[in-house]
Amino acid sequence: MTSQVSSPAEQADGSGGAVVGGQRTPGSPDGKEVRRLDRVIIRFAGDSGDGMQLTGDRFTSETASFGNDLSTLPNFPAEIRAPAGTLPGVSSFQLHFADHDILTPGDAPNVLVAMNPAALKANIADVPRGAEIIVNTDEFTKRPMAKVGYETSPLEDGSLAAYNLHPVPLTTLTVEALKDFGLSRKEAERSKNMFALGLLSWMYHRPTEATESFLRQKFAKKPEIAEANIVAFRAGWNFGETTEDFAVSYEVAPATQAFPTGTYRNISGNLALSYGLIAASQQADLPLYLGSYPITPASDILHELSKHKNFGVRTFQAEDEIAGIGAALGAAFGGALGVTTTSGPGVALKSETIGLAVSLELPLLIVDIQRGGPSTGLPTKTEQADLLQAMYGRNGEAPVPIVAPRTPADCFDAALDAARIALTYRTPVFLLSDGYLANGSEPWRIPEVADLPDLKVKFAAATNHTLADGTDVFWPYKRDPETLARPWAVPGTPGLEHRIGGIEKQDGTGNISYDPANHDLMVRTRQAKIDGIEVPDLDVDDPDRATTLVLGWGSTYGPITAAVRRLRVAGLPVAQAHLRHLNPFPRNLGEVLERYEKVVVPEMNLGQLATLIRAKYLVDAQSYNQVNGMPFKAEQLAKVLKEAIDD
């Protein structure tokens, strides 16, 4: 028995591109070699109609149930059905799974499954030498190759000699497996993704029972289609077991040391965020009301919340973005936990109503799943470019707290935190996720209900002010001295009638006021309320007393942490801190920044957090920016950070 181990740097960050090896065990039931690995990165790629997202989702679900740590990166076109066989029409799904703690979907795939020439050409640049490439040879005919500029077949011209190429006639094998079902060739071909899933499930010893159950449930109204997909899935498994082309299968042990004891499930960012909103409404004992207009990549939250009427959730699919937030703000006025979901273009349309919510001082959650912009931009690609819009994108002085989750699972906790701030301080709150977190997934430890925060709210129930003549009245803008929050009076409460609207309020009474001094007081008071929000101090990970700090926010957490791990393994001291609260900043942020000679801020924008840091703390923060619609790679960040340290 021989062994092969990864380099220390690869082991440390769990996100590199090289195949890392372990023990080779020849005694598998089919007589083939079984090689044990500590992690693998697989990318499924094909036409947007080839079912690559479903294939990746199923492989991910089985991997999660097996107990591996994992991280995923779905990547698909914005078009509902992009032109078949073209580069813009390629859809892919990357999965990184391991027997230890990992943080990113991986920099480069160890295995590429390419369903056609376009999928191969669109992804080959990311594949390292020596990696496995499985191609559907049935699609490598003259016309599909010509569509993407292949003059000769890459399967035959030696251009793939540096890779372990596995030519498999996926379409032919699938059609042959389904010949007894009476399906047309076109109908049978649709199951080729299940054949590929079966083959990869054999290669990596994934469980299969749940996938078969899923298919029977998904096609419950068409049982013959369900059985056809199951047969194709089993045929792929059997092909791997019997063909001589696949002489090795692989095992990646469960990540038993990566997780605290508990019950886990695989979860995407949008699903975690949806569950967090439901949990917040339950902990606050308030009905949840979502006013939303469908927009990529936020629509899945509307879809998910619409399933949970049993938890008092009401969803309203409005005719446009403005109507969606207007309904949500009206629900907040009526005593509900009001939520509106959108992406960057929708935030622009909602800005006036967000300003109204600031003026009315009502709790409202604005969930922005950021995507590439400006305008319609890149609907299915990720970006972090809405930070300044969330901070300043309203007329007048209209401060709004901002909370940003760092991982898909963290979206649950971030939703609870955003609700806490909104309900405690009577203010709209921005929750800034992005497409990478929304569509990506990872294991999530299901919390105990007893461990969730108590968010219960006391509505105003009686008068709260006595006039000079002894009359008891209700003042809607008489504030809590600690939080500066005004009372929340549910409409219809006897004796608590009060004015509402967008014109400036008089301090205390809430009457319309055009008085300059009063306006100055109200503007400064609203700002002081936001500045006074209690948020935890910023934690700094600095075991080596470094002179360089890497400061991030949102979804850059995984790539930054992986890069920092690489540098530390290489003996370079570097500190890391990650912001969840972007308005207000943690109170110790200024003191933290002063401790370091250099501060590097990686962002998927052109330097928005760095701009805020420079302006507020007069720190010469160095920006490292990327706006290509994809998350950072750990290797890329490690190189940049090393240069900053050495400079």
Side-chain angles (χ1 to χ4, degrees), residues 605-637:
N605 55 47
L606 293 183
Q608 297 188 15
L609 174 60
T611 297
L612 296 174
I613 293 296
R614 292 189 191 108
K616 185 173 180 64
Y617 299 103
L618 304 181
V619 170
D620 186 21
Q622 302 177 32
S623 285
Y624 180 68
N625 309 117
Q626 173 176 296
V627 283
N628 62 6
M630 297 294 288
F632 285 114
K633 293 182 177 180
E635 181 181 5
Q636 160 194 7
L637 281 182

Side-chain angles (χ1 to χ4, degrees), residues 522-561:
M522 293 298 278
V523 166
R524 294 180 186 275
T525 301
R526 289 191 289 260
Q527 183 65 59
K529 180 175 70 170
I530 303 307
D531 292 341
I533 291 173
E534 287 291 332
V535 302
D537 279 350
L538 181 65
D539 289 330
V540 182
D541 178 17
D542 186 6
D544 303 311
R545 297 187 178 181
T547 58
T548 299
L549 172 71
V550 188
L551 182 67
W553 69 279
S555 67
T556 57
Y557 173 77
I560 289 175
T561 306

Side-chain angles (χ1 to χ4, degrees), residues 221-363:
K221 295 182 179 179
K222 297 181 178 179
E224 69 283 358
I225 299 298
E227 290 306 312
N229 278 283
I230 290 170
V231 167
F233 176 66
R234 291 175 178 172
W237 176 284
N238 293 333
F239 178 78
E241 195 170 54
T242 57
T243 183
E244 295 181 1
D245 192 36
F246 292 90
V248 180
S249 63
Y250 304 91
E251 287 184 349
V252 180
T256 54
Q257 303 300 316
F259 307 119
T261 302
T263 303
Y264 288 80
R265 61 156 295 166
N266 183 53
I267 201 165
S268 68
N270 273 351
L271 184 57
L273 202 152
S274 300
Y275 287 175
L277 294 174
I278 296 171
S281 74
Q282 293 294 301
Q283 294 302 105
D285 198 21
L286 297 174
L288 176 64
Y289 185 94
L290 175 68
S292 183
Y293 179 75
I295 183 172
T296 303
S299 299
D300 284 343
I301 301 172
L302 170 61
H303 301 159
E304 182 61 33
L305 289 180
S306 68
K307 303 174 184 177
H308 297 285
K309 296 179 177 65
N310 56 316
F311 285 111
V313 178
R314 286 174 290 174
T315 54
F316 168 52
Q317 181 174 320
E319 64 269 28
D320 55 41
E321 296 281 4
I322 298 172
I325 190 173
L329 183 58
F333 176 60
L337 178 59
V339 181
T340 190
T341 53
T342 189
S343 190
V347 172
L349 293 167
K350 296 177 189 290
S351 61
E352 184 179 10
T353 308
I354 297 171
L356 175 61
V358 171
S359 178
L360 298 182
E361 300 188 45
L362 285 169

Side-chain angles (χ1 to χ4, degrees), residues 202-512:
W202 172 83
M203 282 183 66
Y204 292 96
H205 295 229
R206 299 296 91 184
T208 60
E209 293 80 3
T211 291
E212 295 191 10
S213 297
F214 167 82
L215 291 171
R216 289 193 174 97
Q217 182 178 1
K218 180 177 177 63
F219 298 106
K221 295 182 179 179
K222 297 181 178 179
E224 69 283 358
I225 299 298
E227 290 306 312
N229 278 283
I230 290 170
V231 167
F233 176 66
R234 291 175 178 172
W237 176 284
N238 293 333
F239 178 78
E241 195 170 54
T242 57
T243 183
E244 295 181 1
D245 192 36
F246 292 90
V248 180
S249 63
Y250 304 91
E251 287 184 349
V252 180
T256 54
Q257 303 300 316
F259 307 119
T261 302
T263 303
Y264 288 80
R265 61 156 295 166
N266 183 53
I267 201 165
S268 68
N270 273 351
L271 184 57
L273 202 152
S274 300
Y275 287 175
L277 294 174
I278 296 171
S281 74
Q282 293 294 301
Q283 294 302 105
D285 198 21
L286 297 174
L288 176 64
Y289 185 94
L290 175 68
S292 183
Y293 179 75
I295 183 172
T296 303
S299 299
D300 284 343
I301 301 172
L302 170 61
H303 301 159
E304 182 61 33
L305 289 180
S306 68
K307 303 174 184 177
H308 297 285
K309 296 179 177 65
N310 56 316
F311 285 111
V313 178
R314 286 174 290 174
T315 54
F316 168 52
Q317 181 174 320
E319 64 269 28
D320 55 41
E321 296 281 4
I322 298 172
I325 190 173
L329 183 58
F333 176 60
L337 178 59
V339 181
T340 190
T341 53
T342 189
S343 190
V347 172
L349 293 167
K350 296 177 189 290
S351 61
E352 184 179 10
T353 308
I354 297 171
L356 175 61
V358 171
S359 178
L360 298 182
E361 300 188 45
L362 285 169
L364 176 68
L365 299 184
I366 305 112
V367 179
D368 177 5
I369 312 298
Q370 300 167 94
R371 74 191 205 193
S375 189
T376 304
L378 307 173
T380 62
K381 309 302 179 184
T382 194
E383 204 164 274
Q384 288 184 298
D386 293 348
L387 176 55
L388 293 183
Q389 180 178 218
M391 186 75 78
Y392 299 122
R394 294 161 295 284
N395 63 298
E397 296 289 343
V400 175
I402 302 172
V403 177
R406 59 176 61 181
T407 69
D410 188 48
C411 289
F412 177 87
D413 295 319
L416 283 165
D417 200 11
R420 171 190 68 84
I421 293 171
L423 295 171
T424 303
Y425 296 90
R426 309 288 197 267
T427 176
V429 177
F430 262 104
L431 183 56
L432 289 185
S433 179
D434 60 41
Y436 171 39
L437 295 183
N439 296 316
S441 62
E442 66 177 350
W444 172 57
R445 184 173 183 265
I446 301 173
E448 298 292 336
V449 174
D451 295 334
L452 298 179
D454 184 357
L455 302 179
K456 287 185 174 59
V457 176
K458 289 186 178 180
F459 292 113
T463 56
N464 61 0
H465 185 76
T466 303
L467 299 176
D469 62 3
T471 304
D472 290 330
V473 297
F474 174 67
W475 275 14
Y477 283 85
K478 187 169 186 176
R479 301 177 183 278
D480 182 302
E482 292 186 6
T483 64
L484 298 182
R486 76 172 186 88
W488 192 2
V490 176
T493 306
L496 305 191
E497 298 85 355
H498 58 282
R499 287 185 173 87
I500 202 157
I503 297 177
E504 184 63 281
K505 313 296 185 298
Q506 184 181 52
D507 181 40
T509 68
N511 295 333
I512 292 174

